[in-house]
């Protein structure tokens, strides 16, 4: 039946061939790459879908493979801290709170399978970069004691800070 239709209307066959060639050229140029990447499932994307619904507006999240990258812009007024050491203490406290918020607002099974979680806190005077694994952050959702949280963070999170 299809061959009869194509022999009866040869322009239709030529049109289908040209459309196929056009679509293959678009694929080779990478036009459909973003669509392909968005349809590929990963643990990071599952975490990000849930986080993007609940995070504040000063947070940015993105996936780099199966790694979650969070960027947080801090707006701390100078009247709230007296010295640079107070600013450091406030930002480290915020880092711990942000990691706990990430743990509580993410699906725990997906966060556990996320390889690396990178958090960057940006402020005018100080930038803190923290890196850890998803399996360590999951435990923060269940720890209640502030002393145990402190010990867990010391053991599992690597931090680098730079002055601006």
């Amino acid at each position: 039946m299809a061959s009869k239709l194509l022999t009866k209307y040869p322009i239709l066959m030529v049109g289908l061939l040209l459309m196929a060639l056009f679509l293959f050229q678009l694929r080779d140029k990478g036009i459909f790459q973003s669509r392909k990447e968005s349809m590929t499932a990963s643990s990071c994307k599952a975490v990000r879908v849930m986080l993007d619904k609940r995070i504040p507006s000063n947070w940015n999240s993105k996936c780099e493979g199966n790694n979650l990258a969070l960027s947080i812009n801090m707006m701390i007024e100078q009247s709230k801290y007296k010295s640079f050491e107070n600013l450091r203490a406030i930002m480290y406290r915020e880092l711990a709170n942000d990691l706990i918020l990430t743990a509580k607002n993410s699906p725990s099974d997906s966060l556990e399978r996320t390889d690396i979680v990178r958090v960057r806190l940006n402020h005018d005077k100080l930038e803190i970069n923290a890196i850890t694994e998803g399996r360590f952050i999951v435990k923060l959702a269940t720890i209640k004691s502030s002393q145990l949280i402190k010990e867990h963070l010391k053991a599992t999170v690597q931090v680098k800070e730079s002055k601006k």
Side-chain angles (χ1 to χ4, degrees):
M1 169 120 177
S3 63
K4 219 181 222 187
L5 182 66
L6 291 177
T7 56
K8 188 174 179 181
Y9 301 107
I11 298 296
L12 179 64
M13 182 174 62
V14 171
L16 289 175
L17 286 174
L18 289 175
M19 185 178 73
L21 286 173
F22 177 72
L23 290 176
F24 279 115
Q25 285 179 347
L26 286 179
R27 183 199 63 186
D28 292 343
K29 287 182 182 177
I31 300 294
F32 301 120
Q33 188 67 26
S34 63
R35 175 75 176 163
K36 180 182 176 185
E37 289 174 1
S38 69
M39 298 305 283
T40 305
S42 72
S43 299
C44 177
K45 288 181 184 173
V47 169
R48 217 176 132 220
V49 165
M50 190 71 98
L51 265 181
D52 284 344
K53 294 178 184 177
R54 296 185 170 103
I55 59 177
S57 62
N58 63 338
W59 287 37
N60 293 323
S61 66
K62 66 179 179 179
C63 288
E64 300 164 343
N66 196 29
N67 303 330
L68 179 66
L70 297 172
S71 178
I72 304 168
N73 295 321
M74 302 290 296
M75 298 296 175
I76 303 172
E77 297 174 10
Q78 194 158 358
S79 62
K80 295 196 178 197
Y81 61 92
K82 298 173 185 163
S83 66
F84 185 75
E85 292 301 317
N86 286 352
L87 176 66
R88 282 183 70 219
I90 290 170
M91 288 189 65
Y92 275 102
R93 190 177 316 117
E94 282 297 319
L95 175 65
N97 290 336
D98 294 340
L99 287 172
I100 292 169
L101 181 81
T102 303
K104 288 184 178 180
N105 291 317
S106 301
S108 60
D109 56 337
S110 296
L111 186 60
E112 194 168 350
R113 286 191 303 266
T114 302
D115 295 333
I116 292 175
V117 176
R118 183 175 48 87
V119 179
R120 177 181 290 155
L121 289 174
N122 297 317
H123 186 266
D124 293 339
K125 296 185 178 182
L126 181 66
E127 180 178 296
I128 296 178
N129 293 314
I131 190 167
T132 185
E133 296 179 25
R135 61 189 172 110
F136 297 134
I137 292 181
V138 170
K139 294 182 173 112
L140 288 174
T142 58
I143 299 175
K144 301 294 181 196
S145 168
S146 62
Q147 186 63 29
L148 291 175
I149 290 172
K150 181 180 170 183
E151 294 300 320
H152 181 73
L153 290 174
K154 277 185 183 178
T156 60
V157 178
Q158 297 175 355
V159 178
K160 179 183 174 186
E161 64 180 53
S162 59
K163 296 179 185 178
K164 290 185 178 180

